[in-house]
Amino acid sequence: MSDTEETMRRFRVHARDVDHHHARIVEEVSFEAAATAYLEHYALPVAGEDGPEIRVIVHDIGSGREHCFRIDMDSGETAPCG
C-alpha cells in the first residue's frame, strides 16, 4: 500500500445552507481536499448576498472532527467560516 493510500480518509461533505441529503462521502487526504472534491460535482446554483460564495461543512467520519470553509466560486479563495 502506498503512502497516499494510507493517508486517505473518509469525509462527509455538504453545503451549509442546503439540506443534508445533498451530502457526499469523499475519500481525500485533508479537509480542504474534501471540500474541493465536493465542489467539483456541486450542481446547485450559488448566489448569495455576498456574491457567488458557498460555505461547506466537512466532517471527518473517522475522528468526528468538523471544519467549515467559505469558498468564493469566482476566485477560488478559501477561508474558514467566520
Side-chain angles (χ1 to χ4, degrees), residues 27-49:
E27 291 189 17
E28 288 293 342
V29 296
S30 69
F31 285 90
E32 295 85 354
T36 300
Y38 175 77
L39 289 178
E40 287 175 351
H41 300 283
Y42 190 77
L44 298 174
V46 177
E49 57 190 53

Side-chain angles (χ1 to χ4, degrees), residues 50-69:
D50 296 327
E53 121 178 340
I54 187 169
R55 286 175 171 78
V56 177
I57 308 294
V58 182
H59 176 87
D60 184 325
I61 294 172
S63 72
R65 292 181 59 206
E66 194 170 87
H67 290 282
C68 179
F69 298 97

Side-chain angles (χ1 to χ4, degrees), residues 2-45:
S2 73
D3 288 339
T4 302
E5 291 174 318
E6 290 178 34
T7 59
M8 295 293 273
R9 301 186 316 224
R10 290 173 44 103
F11 296 93
R12 182 178 185 276
V13 188
H14 71 276
R16 188 177 79 177
D17 299 325
V18 176
D19 290 335
H20 285 204
H21 73 273
H22 288 286
R24 288 189 51 231
I25 303 297
V26 298
E27 291 189 17
E28 288 293 342
V29 296
S30 69
F31 285 90
E32 295 85 354
T36 300
Y38 175 77
L39 289 178
E40 287 175 351
H41 300 283
Y42 190 77
L44 298 174

